[in-house]
Amino acid sequence: MSLLKVNDITHSYGSRSFFNWKDRSKKVLSGISFSIEEGTCLGLLGTSGAGKSTLGKVILGLERPQKGQILFQGHDIYTADKHTRQKIRRDLQAVFQDSYSSVNPRMTAERIIAEPLENYEKLTVAEQKRTIVELLERVGLSEEDLKKYPHQFSGGQLQRINIARAISLKPKMIVLDESVSSLDMVNQTLILELLRELKEDFGLSYFFITHDIKAAYSISDTLGVLEKGELVELYDSKNQFFTSEHPVVKKMRGSILAEHPRFRSIRTRVSHT
Ligand SMILES: Nc1ncnc2c1ncn2[C@@H]1O[C@H](COP(=O)(O)OP(=O)(O)OP(=O)(O)O)[C@@H](O)[C@H]1O
């Protein structure tokens, strides 16, 4: 059984027209189906406005679709009973693009990471503190950072705190919505490396939403391409992206730095197989 199964999702946002009718004529997602296996990462590529974040919200249970089903470990996340929904909320976490707006500026790093633990675990004060220090260390920070506030961290460090919070309950899957997009190149590379390590160590699955082909390629096992709300391509192997003849994909490929050595060698390898 797949960890996540997305079945024929169609969604439109309701907007009130001049005549006060709910206008749902503009489909943001249309007939989307795919699955994510345990311990794997599906990268979702798409240009701005393609519907990537909406799909992320639908999967996280934040935007109920008009049609289709989201099955997490076989349970429909929108119709499951309260107990199952609670378990899904624990096992399905998220990290968003803007590390600063994802946290309460008045909370220390310790409080930020403590929140999910207090909601779900019954730890003693000492156990909780030990767990938080371990989490900080796991994401490359230290005990000295416990009492710092968000404004005392760089964007990259704060994203590490968001990741520490996301993994604090040992989830099965994380939805990463443009999670490295606002970071500089060095921090992007470091956070992607951290995410890869965590995936290996904890057998995590990711739904990695991005417009950045290089980031998607570096972390994903499988890849999908969303265009105007439709999943136009879905590859079992990410290298298929480099041989696809789909016009949208060809256009995307053209946007990668043509002479980037890493991608040149991949293209050459793939075209000779
Ligand atoms: N809450 C909302 N209400 C109405 N329309 C919305 C809402 N959120 C998104 N949209 C519209 O849905 C479409 C898809 O938006 P979405 O944010 O999912 O795309 P995206 O691929 O994530 O884009 P980006 O990469 O720019 O974030 C856009 O046309 C957007 O304006």
Side-chain angles (χ1 to χ4, degrees):
M1 181 175 56
S2 302
L3 180 62
L4 180 85
K5 206 158 180 0
V6 171
N7 269 343
D8 200 19
I9 292 292
T10 292
H11 188 60
S12 322
Y13 287 104
S15 62
R16 290 200 179 272
S17 73
F18 181 71
F19 298 104
N20 213 22
W21 293 325
K22 281 262 186 188
D23 174 17
R24 288 194 184 267
S25 54
K26 190 183 161 235
K27 279 196 186 129
V28 174
L29 297 173
S30 193
I32 309 278
S33 298
F34 61 85
S35 47
I36 300 181
E37 306 306 319
E38 217 159 290
T40 69
C41 171
L42 171 69
L44 183 72
L45 279 164
T47 49
S48 183
K52 305 182 295 298
S53 294
T54 302
L55 184 53
K57 285 183 206 156
V58 167
I59 288 172
L60 286 165
L62 302 172
E63 190 69 47
R64 192 179 186 132
Q66 271 93 56
K67 186 169 168 256
Q69 273 181 318
I70 304 291
L71 301 176
F72 189 77
Q73 294 185 307
H75 301 287
D76 183 327
I77 67 163
Y78 286 98
T79 58
D81 59 56
K82 197 174 159 202
H83 173 75
T84 310
R85 280 208 309 273
Q86 233 170 351
K87 188 169 172 339
I88 293 171
R89 263 202 294 277
R90 186 186 169 128
D91 284 340
L92 184 55
Q93 295 287 326
V95 176
F96 297 101
Q97 173 169 12
D98 187 347
S99 52
Y100 285 98
S101 65
S102 302
V103 294
N104 183 336
R106 292 190 194 86
M107 281 187 180
T108 60
E110 182 174 15
R111 297 299 322 137
I112 290 167
I113 301 172
E115 256 192 339
L117 291 170
E118 283 167 1
N119 287 338
Y120 284 93
E121 303 274 6
K122 298 266 175 288
L123 300 177
T124 64
V125 174
E127 280 168 346
Q128 181 166 297
K129 181 158 181 193
R130 195 165 355 105
T131 306
I132 294 171
V133 171
E134 275 170 20
L135 284 163
L136 280 174
E137 287 171 351
R138 189 62 198 81
V139 299
L141 298 170
S142 72
E143 189 167 356
E144 285 169 28
D145 296 310
L146 276 175
K147 302 293 173 204
K148 288 188 190 162
Y149 287 89
H151 70 273
Q152 295 174 289
F153 291 105
S154 68
Q157 288 171 326
L158 204 52
Q159 203 58 311
R160 287 172 190 269
I161 289 172
N162 281 316
I163 293 169
R165 179 174 58 182
I167 60 168
S168 64
L169 297 172
K170 303 192 180 80
K172 302 225 174 307
M173 174 176 280
I174 305 182
V175 173
L176 298 150
D177 188 354
E178 301 280 10
S179 314
V180 296
S181 304
S182 58
L183 304 175
D184 59 64
M185 285 299 284
V186 174
N187 269 303
Q188 267 196 22
T189 308
L190 293 172
I191 296 283
L192 284 168
E193 225 170 83
L194 171 67
L195 290 170
R196 271 194 302 269
E197 280 171 23
L198 295 173
K199 177 171 169 276
E200 288 306 310
D201 292 355
F202 301 124
L204 274 168
S205 302
Y206 296 143
F207 182 51
F208 187 82
I209 297 171
T210 186
H211 63 276
D212 183 337
I213 297 166
K214 280 170 269 176
Y217 185 83
S218 80
I219 195 165
S220 306
D221 302 293
T222 57
L223 269 182
V225 179
L226 193 68
E227 169 73 3
K228 296 188 180 136
E230 287 184 27
L231 194 62
V232 293
E233 295 273 83
L234 185 60
Y235 313 118
D236 299 339
S237 156
K238 58 185 173 184
N239 279 340
Q240 291 168 277
F241 177 84
F242 291 96
T243 48
S244 166
E245 287 299 312
H246 195 289
V248 171
V249 178
K250 281 171 97 173
K251 201 167 161 197
M252 278 185 176
R253 270 199 316 250
S255 71
I256 310 178
L257 287 175
E259 290 313 311
H260 191 290
R262 183 160 173 206
F263 286 92
R264 197 175 46 209
S265 66
I266 292 162
R267 274 202 299 273
T268 314
R269 242 184 10 249
V270 170
S271 63
H272 288 304
T273 53

